[in-house]
Amino acid sequence: HALGCVGSRALEGLVAIRPQADEELLCSARVLELAPLLSPVLPLSLPDNEVTKHLTGETRLLEAIRLMVRVLRAKLAGGRTILVFEDVHWMDSSSWKLLEAVRKELSPLLLLVARQRVGQRQHLRLLPATPLAALVATRVAALVATLAT
């Protein structure tokens, strides 16, 4: 691959979750090709390349979501994960698609989605949910305990 293996030296000095996954991700030709798709969600400014400049609209969005899920899967592999999405009433449709992909693709996963009582109700129907107000402390402890075992 023309970019070569960037390797984890590119991340020296940064705190990382499961740093051993960095080498795998940074040496993947496909991840490097699609890396510019992460610019809108990370503090990076990677210009489009020959692969990404031809991706538009829904295709570009779906490739970006696949890449984000791949990175999360690599970084969270072997662990029990709690992901918290706050203020989901402000999320756009692209963010909801990412949330749905994460829910389907990552396991084990406890997904905590917090919102105000207004807006975005239609998206919440996509997620199997138990309102926290309906949970007693013992049930919350049981949910968290399932991730610890």
Side-chain angles (χ1 to χ4, degrees):
H1 186 267
L3 293 174
C5 179
V6 174
S8 58
R9 67 186 176 284
L11 301 176
E12 283 179 12
L14 299 176
V15 176
I17 297 170
R18 199 170 166 262
Q20 62 272 31
D22 296 339
E23 196 74 29
E24 169 196 334
L25 290 167
L26 294 172
C27 288
S28 165
R30 188 66 176 158
V31 169
L32 293 176
E33 285 175 343
L34 296 176
L37 299 178
L38 297 176
S39 288
V41 296
L42 295 177
L44 301 171
S45 181
L46 300 173
D48 274 331
N49 56 40
E50 285 301 313
V51 174
T52 59
K53 74 179 183 182
H54 299 292
L55 296 173
T56 59
E58 190 73 11
T59 303
R60 186 178 183 92
L61 173 64
L62 293 176
E63 285 295 332
I65 288 172
R66 282 188 201 103
L67 179 58
M68 287 184 265
V69 169
R70 179 177 179 175
V71 169
L72 283 170
R73 186 181 300 115
K75 297 297 280 182
L76 302 174
R80 303 204 185 271
T81 304
I82 299 174
L83 287 180
V84 178
F85 285 74
E86 289 188 83
D87 295 328
V88 299
H89 54 280
W90 296 115
M91 286 182 14
D92 62 9
S93 61
S94 299
S95 299
W96 281 104
K97 287 178 182 178
L98 172 61
L99 179 61
E100 180 63 13
V102 165
R103 185 190 69 79
K104 286 180 177 178
E105 300 290 329
L106 298 181
S107 181
L109 174 68
L110 176 59
L111 189 59
L112 179 60
V113 178
R115 67 168 176 89
Q116 292 180 4
R117 291 195 174 267
V118 297
Q120 299 295 357
R121 242 192 186 124
Q122 70 276 11
H123 293 293
L124 291 175
R125 289 188 203 119
L126 301 174
L127 303 171
T130 302
L132 288 180
L135 292 176
V136 293
T138 54
R139 179 69 180 127
V140 172
L143 280 171
V144 172
T146 61
L147 291 170
T149 57

